CSV table of all heavy atoms in Angstrom, one decimal:
chain,number,residue,atom,x,y,z
A,12,ASP,N,0.8,-1.2,0.0
A,12,ASP,CA,0.0,-0.1,0.0
A,12,ASP,C,0.8,1.2,0.0
A,12,ASP,O,0.5,2.3,-0.6
A,12,ASP,CB,-0.9,0.0,1.2
A,12,ASP,CG,-1.8,-1.2,1.3
A,12,ASP,OD1,-2.1,-1.7,0.2
A,12,ASP,OD2,-2.1,-1.7,2.4
A,13,TRP,N,2.0,1.2,0.7
A,13,TRP,CA,2.9,2.3,0.7
A,13,TRP,C,3.4,2.5,-0.7
A,13,TRP,O,3.6,3.7,-1.2
A,13,TRP,CB,4.0,2.0,1.6
A,13,TRP,CG,5.3,2.9,1.5
A,13,TRP,CD1,6.5,2.6,1.0
A,13,TRP,CD2,5.3,4.4,1.8
A,13,TRP,NE1,7.4,3.7,1.1
A,13,TRP,CE2,6.7,4.8,1.4
A,13,TRP,CE3,4.4,5.3,2.1
A,13,TRP,CZ2,7.1,6.0,1.6
A,13,TRP,CZ3,4.8,6.7,2.4
A,13,TRP,CH2,6.1,7.1,2.0
A,14,LEU,N,3.8,1.5,-1.5
A,14,LEU,CA,4.3,1.7,-2.8
A,14,LEU,C,3.2,2.1,-3.7
A,14,LEU,O,3.4,3.0,-4.6
A,14,LEU,CB,4.9,0.3,-3.3
A,14,LEU,CG,6.0,-0.2,-2.4
A,14,LEU,CD1,6.5,-1.5,-3.0
A,14,LEU,CD2,7.2,0.8,-2.3
A,15,ARG,N,2.0,1.6,-3.6
A,15,ARG,CA,0.9,2.0,-4.5
A,15,ARG,C,0.5,3.5,-4.2
A,15,ARG,O,0.1,4.1,-5.0
A,15,ARG,CB,-0.3,1.1,-4.4
A,15,ARG,CG,-1.4,1.3,-5.3
A,15,ARG,CD,-2.7,0.5,-5.2
A,15,ARG,NE,-2.6,-0.6,-4.2
A,15,ARG,CZ,-3.0,-0.3,-2.9
A,15,ARG,NH1,-3.2,0.8,-2.4
A,15,ARG,NH2,-3.0,-1.4,-2.0
A,16,LEU,N,0.6,4.0,-2.9
A,16,LEU,CA,0.4,5.3,-2.7
A,16,LEU,C,1.2,6.2,-3.6
A,16,LEU,O,0.7,7.3,-4.0
A,16,LEU,CB,0.6,5.5,-1.1
A,16,LEU,CG,0.5,7.0,-0.7
A,16,LEU,CD1,-0.7,7.6,-0.9
A,16,LEU,CD2,1.0,7.1,0.8
A,17,HIS,N,2.5,5.9,-3.8
A,17,HIS,CA,3.3,6.7,-4.5
A,17,HIS,C,2.9,6.6,-6.0
A,17,HIS,O,3.1,7.6,-6.7
A,17,HIS,CB,4.7,6.2,-4.4
A,17,HIS,CG,5.4,6.8,-3.1
A,17,HIS,ND1,6.1,8.0,-3.1
A,17,HIS,CD2,5.5,6.2,-2.0
A,17,HIS,CE1,6.6,8.1,-1.9
A,17,HIS,NE2,6.3,7.1,-1.2
A,18,LEU,N,2.4,5.5,-6.4
A,18,LEU,CA,2.0,5.4,-7.8
A,18,LEU,C,0.7,6.2,-8.2
A,18,LEU,O,0.5,6.8,-9.3
A,18,LEU,CB,1.8,3.9,-8.2
A,18,LEU,CG,3.0,3.1,-8.7
A,18,LEU,CD1,2.5,1.7,-8.9
A,18,LEU,CD2,3.8,3.7,-9.9
A,19,THR,N,-0.2,6.1,-7.2
A,19,THR,CA,-1.5,6.7,-7.4
A,19,THR,C,-1.9,7.9,-6.6
A,19,THR,O,-3.0,8.6,-7.0
A,19,THR,CB,-2.5,5.5,-7.1
A,19,THR,OG1,-2.6,5.3,-5.7
A,19,THR,CG2,-2.3,4.2,-7.9
A,20,GLY,N,-1.3,8.1,-5.5
A,20,GLY,CA,-1.7,9.2,-4.5
A,20,GLY,C,-2.9,8.8,-3.7
A,20,GLY,O,-3.4,9.6,-3.0
A,21,GLU,N,-3.4,7.6,-3.9
A,21,GLU,CA,-4.6,7.0,-3.1
A,21,GLU,C,-4.1,6.2,-2.0
A,21,GLU,O,-3.3,5.3,-2.1
A,21,GLU,CB,-5.5,6.3,-4.0
A,21,GLU,CG,-5.9,7.2,-5.2
A,21,GLU,CD,-6.9,8.3,-4.8
A,21,GLU,OE1,-7.4,8.3,-3.7
A,21,GLU,OE2,-7.1,9.3,-5.6
A,22,VAL,N,-4.8,6.2,-0.8
A,22,VAL,CA,-4.7,5.4,0.3
A,22,VAL,C,-5.7,4.2,0.2
A,22,VAL,O,-6.9,4.5,0.2
A,22,VAL,CB,-4.8,6.1,1.7
A,22,VAL,CG1,-4.7,5.0,2.8
A,22,VAL,CG2,-3.7,7.1,1.9
A,23,ALA,N,-5.2,3.1,0.2
A,23,ALA,CA,-6.1,1.9,0.0
A,23,ALA,C,-5.3,0.6,0.5
A,23,ALA,O,-4.2,0.6,0.6
A,23,ALA,CB,-6.6,1.7,-1.4
A,24,THR,N,-6.2,-0.4,0.9
A,24,THR,CA,-5.5,-1.7,1.1
A,24,THR,C,-6.5,-2.8,0.7
A,24,THR,O,-7.5,-2.5,0.1
A,24,THR,CB,-5.3,-1.9,2.6
A,24,THR,OG1,-4.5,-3.1,2.9
A,24,THR,CG2,-6.6,-2.1,3.4
A,25,ASP,N,-6.1,-4.1,0.8
A,25,ASP,CA,-7.0,-5.2,0.4
A,25,ASP,C,-7.2,-6.3,1.5
A,25,ASP,O,-6.6,-6.2,2.6
A,25,ASP,CB,-6.2,-5.9,-0.8
A,25,ASP,CG,-5.4,-7.0,-0.4
A,25,ASP,OD1,-4.5,-6.8,0.4
A,25,ASP,OD2,-5.6,-8.2,-0.7
A,26,VAL,N,-8.2,-7.2,1.3
A,26,VAL,CA,-8.5,-8.1,2.3
A,26,VAL,C,-7.4,-9.1,2.7
A,26,VAL,O,-7.3,-9.5,3.9
A,26,VAL,CB,-9.7,-9.0,1.9
A,26,VAL,CG1,-10.9,-8.0,1.7
A,26,VAL,CG2,-9.4,-9.7,0.7
A,27,SER,N,-6.4,-9.4,1.9
A,27,SER,CA,-5.4,-10.3,2.2
A,27,SER,C,-4.5,-9.6,3.2
A,27,SER,O,-4.0,-10.5,4.1
A,27,SER,CB,-4.6,-10.8,0.9
A,27,SER,OG,-3.8,-9.8,0.4
A,28,ASP,N,-4.1,-8.5,3.1
A,28,ASP,CA,-3.2,-7.9,4.2
A,28,ASP,C,-4.0,-7.7,5.5
A,28,ASP,O,-3.4,-7.8,6.5
A,28,ASP,CB,-2.6,-6.5,3.7
A,28,ASP,CG,-1.3,-6.6,3.2
A,28,ASP,OD1,-0.4,-7.3,3.9
A,28,ASP,OD2,-0.9,-5.9,2.2
A,29,VAL,N,-5.2,-7.4,5.4
A,29,VAL,CA,-6.0,-7.2,6.7
A,29,VAL,C,-6.2,-8.5,7.4
A,29,VAL,O,-6.2,-8.4,8.6
A,29,VAL,CB,-7.4,-6.6,6.2
A,29,VAL,CG1,-8.3,-6.6,7.4
A,29,VAL,CG2,-7.3,-5.1,5.7
A,30,GLY,N,-6.2,-9.6,6.7
A,30,GLY,CA,-6.2,-10.9,7.4
A,30,GLY,C,-5.2,-11.1,8.3
A,30,GLY,O,-5.2,-11.7,9.4
A,31,TYR,N,-4.0,-10.6,7.9
A,31,TYR,CA,-2.8,-10.7,8.8
A,31,TYR,C,-2.6,-9.7,9.7
A,31,TYR,O,-1.6,-9.4,10.5
A,31,TYR,CB,-1.5,-10.8,7.8
A,31,TYR,CG,-1.4,-12.0,7.2
A,31,TYR,CD1,-0.7,-12.1,5.8
A,31,TYR,CD2,-1.8,-13.3,7.7
A,31,TYR,CE1,-0.5,-13.2,5.0
A,31,TYR,CE2,-1.6,-14.4,6.8
A,31,TYR,CZ,-1.0,-14.5,5.6
A,31,TYR,OH,-0.9,-15.6,4.9
A,32,PHE,N,-3.7,-8.9,9.9
A,32,PHE,CA,-3.4,-7.6,10.9
A,32,PHE,C,-3.2,-8.1,12.3
A,32,PHE,O,-2.4,-7.5,13.0
A,32,PHE,CB,-4.7,-6.7,10.8
A,32,PHE,CG,-4.6,-5.5,11.6
A,32,PHE,CD1,-3.9,-4.4,11.1
A,32,PHE,CD2,-5.2,-5.3,12.8
A,32,PHE,CE1,-3.7,-3.2,11.9
A,32,PHE,CE2,-5.0,-4.2,13.5
A,32,PHE,CZ,-4.3,-3.1,13.1
A,33,PRO,N,-3.8,-9.1,12.8
A,33,PRO,CA,-4.8,-10.0,12.2
A,33,PRO,C,-6.3,-9.4,12.4
A,33,PRO,O,-6.5,-8.7,13.5
A,33,PRO,CB,-4.7,-11.2,13.0
A,33,PRO,CG,-4.3,-10.8,14.5
A,33,PRO,CD,-3.4,-9.6,14.3
A,34,GLY,N,-7.1,-9.8,11.5
A,34,GLY,CA,-8.5,-9.3,11.6
A,34,GLY,C,-9.5,-10.3,11.9
A,34,GLY,O,-9.2,-11.4,12.4
A,35,ASP,N,-10.8,-10.1,11.5
A,35,ASP,CA,-11.8,-11.1,11.8
A,35,ASP,C,-11.8,-11.9,10.5
A,35,ASP,O,-12.3,-11.3,9.5
A,35,ASP,CB,-13.1,-10.4,12.0
A,35,ASP,CG,-14.3,-11.3,12.5
A,35,ASP,OD1,-14.3,-12.5,11.8
A,35,ASP,OD2,-15.1,-11.1,13.3
A,36,ILE,N,-11.4,-13.1,10.5
A,36,ILE,CA,-11.2,-14.0,9.4
A,36,ILE,C,-12.5,-14.3,8.7
A,36,ILE,O,-12.7,-14.3,7.5
A,36,ILE,CB,-10.3,-15.2,9.5
A,36,ILE,CG1,-9.8,-15.8,8.2
A,36,ILE,CG2,-11.1,-16.1,10.4
A,36,ILE,CD1,-9.0,-14.9,7.4
A,37,ARG,N,-13.5,-14.4,9.5
A,37,ARG,CA,-14.8,-14.8,8.9
A,37,ARG,C,-15.6,-13.6,8.2
A,37,ARG,O,-16.2,-13.8,7.3
A,37,ARG,CB,-15.7,-15.4,10.1
A,37,ARG,CG,-15.3,-16.5,10.8
A,37,ARG,CD,-16.1,-16.9,12.0
A,37,ARG,NE,-15.7,-18.1,12.8
A,37,ARG,CZ,-14.8,-18.0,13.7
A,37,ARG,NH1,-14.2,-16.9,14.1
A,37,ARG,NH2,-14.4,-19.1,14.3
A,38,LYS,N,-15.3,-12.4,8.8
A,38,LYS,CA,-15.9,-11.2,8.2
A,38,LYS,C,-15.0,-10.6,7.1
A,38,LYS,O,-15.5,-9.6,6.4
A,38,LYS,CB,-16.1,-10.2,9.2
A,38,LYS,CG,-17.2,-10.6,10.3
A,38,LYS,CD,-17.4,-9.5,11.3
A,38,LYS,CE,-18.4,-9.9,12.4
A,38,LYS,NZ,-18.6,-8.8,13.4
A,39,ARG,N,-13.8,-11.2,6.9
A,39,ARG,CA,-12.9,-10.6,5.9
A,39,ARG,C,-12.7,-9.1,6.1
A,39,ARG,O,-12.6,-8.3,5.2
A,39,ARG,CB,-13.4,-10.9,4.4
A,39,ARG,CG,-13.6,-12.4,4.2
A,39,ARG,CD,-14.2,-12.6,2.8
A,39,ARG,NE,-13.5,-12.3,1.7
A,39,ARG,CZ,-12.7,-13.2,1.0
A,39,ARG,NH1,-12.5,-14.3,1.5
A,39,ARG,NH2,-12.0,-12.7,0.0
A,40,ASN,N,-12.4,-8.7,7.4
A,40,ASN,CA,-12.3,-7.3,7.7
A,40,ASN,C,-11.7,-7.2,9.0
A,40,ASN,O,-11.2,-8.3,9.6
A,40,ASN,CB,-13.7,-6.8,7.8
A,40,ASN,CG,-13.7,-5.1,7.4
A,40,ASN,OD1,-12.6,-4.5,7.7
A,40,ASN,ND2,-14.8,-4.7,6.9
A,41,TYR,N,-11.2,-6.0,9.4
A,41,TYR,CA,-10.6,-5.8,10.8
A,41,TYR,C,-11.6,-6.3,11.9
A,41,TYR,O,-12.8,-6.4,11.6
A,41,TYR,CB,-10.4,-4.2,10.9
A,41,TYR,CG,-9.4,-3.7,9.9
A,41,TYR,CD1,-10.0,-2.8,8.9
A,41,TYR,CD2,-8.1,-3.9,10.0
A,41,TYR,CE1,-9.1,-2.3,7.9
A,41,TYR,CE2,-7.2,-3.2,9.1
A,41,TYR,CZ,-7.8,-2.4,8.1
A,41,TYR,OH,-6.9,-1.9,7.1
A,42,SER,N,-11.0,-6.6,12.9
A,42,SER,CA,-11.7,-7.1,14.1
A,42,SER,C,-11.8,-5.9,15.2
A,42,SER,O,-10.8,-5.6,15.8
A,42,SER,CB,-11.1,-8.3,14.8
A,42,SER,OG,-11.7,-8.6,16.0
A,43,GLY,N,-12.9,-5.3,15.3
A,43,GLY,CA,-13.2,-4.3,16.3
A,43,GLY,C,-12.9,-4.9,17.8
A,43,GLY,O,-12.4,-4.2,18.7
A,44,GLU,N,-13.3,-6.2,18.0
A,44,GLU,CA,-13.2,-6.8,19.2
A,44,GLU,C,-11.7,-7.0,19.7
A,44,GLU,O,-11.3,-6.7,20.7
A,44,GLU,CB,-13.8,-8.2,19.2
A,44,GLU,CG,-13.8,-8.9,20.5
A,44,GLU,CD,-14.5,-10.4,20.5
A,44,GLU,OE1,-15.3,-10.6,19.5
A,44,GLU,OE2,-14.3,-11.0,21.4
A,45,LEU,N,-10.8,-7.5,18.6
A,45,LEU,CA,-9.3,-7.5,19.0
A,45,LEU,C,-8.8,-6.3,19.3
A,45,LEU,O,-7.9,-6.2,20.1
A,45,LEU,CB,-8.8,-8.3,17.8
A,45,LEU,CG,-9.1,-9.8,17.7
A,45,LEU,CD1,-8.2,-10.4,16.5
A,45,LEU,CD2,-8.7,-10.6,18.9
A,46,LEU,N,-9.1,-5.2,18.5
A,46,LEU,CA,-8.5,-4.0,18.7
A,46,LEU,C,-9.0,-3.4,20.0
A,46,LEU,O,-8.1,-2.9,20.8
A,46,LEU,CB,-9.0,-2.9,17.6
A,46,LEU,CG,-8.4,-3.1,16.3
A,46,LEU,CD1,-9.2,-2.3,15.2
A,46,LEU,CD2,-7.0,-2.7,16.3
A,47,LYS,N,-10.2,-3.5,20.5
A,47,LYS,CA,-10.6,-3.1,21.8
A,47,LYS,C,-9.9,-4.0,22.9
A,47,LYS,O,-9.4,-3.3,23.8
A,47,LYS,CB,-12.1,-3.3,22.0
A,47,LYS,CG,-12.7,-2.9,23.2
A,47,LYS,CD,-14.2,-3.1,23.2
A,47,LYS,CE,-14.9,-2.6,24.6
A,47,LYS,NZ,-16.3,-2.8,24.7
A,48,GLU,N,-9.8,-5.2,22.8
A,48,GLU,CA,-9.1,-6.0,23.8
A,48,GLU,C,-7.7,-5.7,23.9
A,48,GLU,O,-7.1,-5.8,25.0
A,48,GLU,CB,-9.4,-7.5,23.5
A,48,GLU,CG,-10.8,-8.0,23.7
A,48,GLU,CD,-11.3,-7.9,25.1
A,48,GLU,OE1,-10.4,-8.2,26.0
A,48,GLU,OE2,-12.5,-7.6,25.3
A,49,ALA,N,-7.1,-5.4,22.8
A,49,ALA,CA,-5.6,-4.9,22.8
A,49,ALA,C,-5.4,-3.5,23.2
A,49,ALA,O,-4.2,-3.0,23.5
A,49,ALA,CB,-5.0,-5.1,21.4
A,50,GLY,N,-6.6,-2.7,23.5
A,50,GLY,CA,-6.4,-1.4,24.1
A,50,GLY,C,-6.0,-0.4,23.1
A,50,GLY,O,-5.4,0.6,23.4
A,51,LEU,N,-6.4,-0.6,21.8
A,51,LEU,CA,-6.1,0.3,20.7
A,51,LEU,C,-7.3,0.9,20.0
A,51,LEU,O,-8.2,0.2,19.7
A,51,LEU,CB,-5.3,-0.6,19.6
A,51,LEU,CG,-4.0,-1.1,20.1
A,51,LEU,CD1,-3.4,-2.0,19.0
A,51,LEU,CD2,-2.9,0.0,20.4
A,52,GLU,N,-7.3,2.2,19.8
A,52,GLU,CA,-8.3,2.9,19.1
A,52,GLU,C,-7.7,3.4,17.7
A,52,GLU,O,-7.1,4.4,17.8
A,52,GLU,CB,-8.8,4.1,20.0
A,52,GLU,CG,-10.0,5.0,19.3
A,52,GLU,CD,-11.0,4.0,18.6
A,52,GLU,OE1,-11.7,3.3,19.5
A,52,GLU,OE2,-11.3,4.1,17.4
A,53,LEU,N,-8.0,2.7,16.7
A,53,LEU,CA,-7.4,3.0,15.4
A,53,LEU,C,-8.3,3.1,14.3
A,53,LEU,O,-8.0,3.2,13.2
A,53,LEU,CB,-6.4,1.8,15.2
A,53,LEU,CG,-5.3,1.5,16.2
A,53,LEU,CD1,-4.5,0.3,15.7
A,53,LEU,CD2,-4.3,2.6,16.2
A,54,SER,N,-9.5,3.1,14.6
A,54,SER,CA,-10.7,3.1,13.6
A,54,SER,C,-10.5,4.1,12.4
A,54,SER,O,-10.7,3.9,11.2
A,54,SER,CB,-12.0,3.1,14.0
A,54,SER,OG,-12.2,4.3,14.9
A,55,ASP,N,-10.0,5.3,12.8
A,55,ASP,CA,-9.7,6.4,11.8
A,55,ASP,C,-8.5,6.3,11.2
A,55,ASP,O,-8.2,7.1,10.3
A,55,ASP,CB,-9.9,7.7,12.6
A,55,ASP,CG,-8.8,8.0,13.7
A,55,ASP,OD1,-8.3,7.0,14.2
A,55,ASP,OD2,-8.5,9.1,14.0
A,56,LYS,N,-7.6,5.3,11.5
A,56,LYS,CA,-6.3,5.2,10.8
A,56,LYS,C,-6.3,4.0,9.8
A,56,LYS,O,-5.2,3.8,9.1
A,56,LYS,CB,-5.2,5.0,11.9
A,56,LYS,CG,-5.2,6.1,12.9
A,56,LYS,CD,-4.0,5.9,14.0
A,56,LYS,CE,-4.2,6.7,15.1
A,56,LYS,NZ,-4.0,8.2,14.9
A,57,LEU,N,-7.4,3.3,9.7
A,57,LEU,CA,-7.4,2.1,8.9
A,57,LEU,C,-8.2,2.2,7.7
A,57,LEU,O,-9.4,2.5,7.9
A,57,LEU,CB,-7.8,0.8,9.8
A,57,LEU,CG,-7.0,0.6,11.1
A,57,LEU,CD1,-7.7,-0.5,11.9
A,57,LEU,CD2,-5.6,0.1,10.7
């Protein structure tokens, strides 16, 4: 995403990288529960 940002000027990501965040694998997205349990508030940065 860092390299693509330089090519396009756009911030974006895909489901495969989010899976290794790690995210919620069933929902194919970030896990709000894991972020909350880890004590991280990052929703506006993802």
Side-chain angles (χ1 to χ4, degrees):
D12 305 330
W13 164 247
L14 301 178
R15 188 182 353 85
L16 172 61
H17 279 272
L18 278 180
T19 66
E21 303 289 342
V22 174
T24 194
D25 89 302
V26 293
S27 69
D28 256 324
V29 169
Y31 289 147
F32 188 76
D35 187 321
I36 195 64
R37 297 174 181 88
K38 295 180 180 178
R39 299 170 71 90
N40 210 328
Y41 299 101
S42 170
E44 182 178 350
L45 290 182
L46 286 166
K47 182 179 179 181
E48 289 296 322
L51 296 169
E52 178 49 61
L53 303 173
S54 57
D55 62 335
K56 304 177 191 295
L57 303 173

